[in-house]
């Protein structure tokens, strides 16, 4: 399965959205789906390395990532970059900017991305006309805050081995939940530089840690795909406790 197009071409009709049919997202009635369809301004395809949102951008749009990988990041004046989190199909992109004057972070396409683009001021209509959908958006914001908490814990208290184990477990579980695991593997387009920038490690330390975990027989990255060979050991190393997933809201 191609990570850049996990659910087939993006349809203009939300009723036929194949991503919604994965069973990972909260089911919505026909009237709500029609309302969401009315908020959309179309679709957009972004090539790898292109910006979805630039840092300090004042007119950033609101998207749902339909297919592909992207990442949120912040940079320092000397060019050093911190990847804040990775965005996968179904994620809402640009929500933070909707509540501020300018984007506090950038968002870059890691692979080719297909995006459902929403009209300006769509959130006002969501909260005004469909309060339950507005609650779902609030839940997504709180869920994203939880990811930030986990990332802060990882950067502040986990050692390099624990950080890498946590990242591998977390991304695999997220991909598996939205139906992107195939034959026990998932597409894994991250370079070691992406991993280093996400975990606050040097490139050399990242390389050594990945090789150490691979030599222990815990994971395998081959031909751009990740396979977890010993999830129990990885979970123990990362202190990662996965609870049964609830269905995720999706605009």
């Amino acid at each position: 399965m191609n990570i850049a197009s996990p659910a087939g071409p993006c349809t203009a009709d939300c009723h036929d959205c194949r991503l919604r049919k994965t069973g990972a997202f909260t089911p919505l009635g026909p009237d709500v789906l029609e309302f969401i369809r009315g908020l959309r301004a179309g679709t957009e395809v972004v090539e790898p390395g292109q910006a979805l949102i630039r840092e300090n951008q004042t007119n950033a749009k609101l998207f749902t990532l339909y297919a592909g990988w992207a990442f949120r990041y912040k940079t320092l004046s000397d060019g050093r970059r911190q990847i804040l989190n990775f965005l996968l199909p179904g994620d809402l992109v640009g929500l933070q900017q909707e509540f501020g004057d300018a984007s506090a972070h950038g968002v870059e396409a890691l692979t080719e991305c297909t995006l459902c683009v929403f009209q300006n001021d769509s959130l006002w209509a969501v909260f005004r006309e469909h309060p339950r959908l507005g609650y779902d958006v609030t839940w997504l914001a709180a869920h994203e805050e939880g990811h930030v908490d986990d990332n802060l814990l990882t950067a502040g208290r986990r050692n390099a081995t624990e950080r890498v184990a946590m990242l591998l477990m977390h991304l695999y579980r997220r991909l598996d939940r939205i139906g992107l695991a195939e034959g026990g593997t998932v597409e894994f387009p991250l370079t070691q530089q992406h991993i280093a920038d996400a975990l606050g490690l040097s490139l050399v330390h990242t390389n050594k840690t990945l090789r150490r975990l691979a030599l222990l027989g815990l994971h395998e990255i081959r031909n751009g795909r990740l396979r977890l060979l010993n999830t129990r050991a990885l979970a123990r190393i990362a202190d990662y406790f996965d609870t049964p997933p609830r269905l995720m809201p999706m605009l």
Side-chain angles (χ1 to χ4, degrees):
M1 189 177 294
N2 186 342
I3 193 68
S5 184
C10 185
T11 174
D13 190 342
C14 295
H15 298 80
D16 296 327
C17 175
R18 297 184 186 180
L19 190 57
R20 294 186 184 277
K21 296 177 181 178
T22 61
F25 300 98
T26 307
L28 300 175
D31 57 330
V32 181
L33 290 175
E34 186 62 23
F35 171 74
I36 293 174
R37 188 198 64 78
L39 296 178
R40 289 178 55 187
T43 60
E44 186 174 332
V45 177
V46 179
E47 296 299 318
Q50 290 188 349
L52 280 62
I53 298 174
R54 297 184 304 276
E55 289 181 279
N56 301 314
Q57 185 174 339
T58 56
N59 60 344
K61 298 176 183 178
L62 185 68
F63 311 94
T64 288
L65 180 58
Y66 180 78
W69 288 56
F71 59 87
R72 294 195 306 118
Y73 68 93
K74 291 179 73 75
T75 55
L76 296 175
S77 58
D78 61 3
R80 283 177 293 167
R81 177 180 70 180
Q82 177 67 46
I83 291 180
L84 305 173
N85 71 327
F86 294 99
L87 302 170
L88 300 176
D91 286 345
L92 192 61
V93 184
L95 180 60
Q96 291 85 354
Q97 195 274 334
E98 289 286 318
F99 297 98
D101 295 328
S103 301
H105 57 262
V107 180
E108 181 178 311
L110 181 59
T111 67
E112 180 181 279
C113 290
T114 302
L115 304 153
C116 295
V117 186
F118 292 98
Q119 300 173 15
N120 292 335
D121 298 325
S122 294
L123 283 182
W124 282 113
V126 168
F127 282 95
R128 183 176 62 248
E129 300 183 34
H130 282 274
R132 174 65 200 188
L133 204 56
Y135 175 85
D136 285 345
V137 172
T138 304
W139 187 92
L140 287 171
H143 187 66
E144 181 64 31
E145 182 181 359
H147 282 319
V148 172
D149 292 346
D150 288 341
N151 291 342
L152 182 59
L153 173 62
T154 294
R157 286 293 178 258
R158 288 186 168 100
N159 61 37
T161 302
E162 293 166 342
R163 293 184 200 186
V164 173
M166 181 68 181
L167 181 68
L168 297 179
M169 288 288 298
H170 180 64
L171 289 175
Y172 187 95
R173 293 302 190 205
R174 288 180 64 193
L175 291 161
D176 186 36
R177 287 171 183 170
I178 56 177
L180 295 181
E182 182 179 326
T185 70
V186 294
E187 198 82 14
F188 198 74
L190 276 63
T191 66
Q192 291 188 7
Q193 188 65 64
H194 290 124
I195 295 173
D197 288 350
L199 299 179
L201 300 172
S202 70
L203 191 57
V204 171
H205 206 170
T206 299
N207 177 272
K208 289 181 177 179
T209 305
L210 282 167
R211 285 194 290 114
R212 184 183 306 116
L213 290 173
L215 289 172
L216 289 172
L218 304 186
H219 82 283
E220 176 184 73
I221 299 174
R222 180 180 297 177
N223 299 324
R225 299 192 70 85
L226 167 68
R227 182 188 299 275
L228 302 186
L229 301 174
N230 191 333
T231 55
R232 285 191 176 186
L234 279 171
R236 284 198 302 270
I237 291 171
D239 201 18
Y240 179 88
F241 300 99
D242 201 17
T243 57
R246 62 155 284 178
L247 298 181
M248 297 282 291
M250 185 177 76
L251 285 186

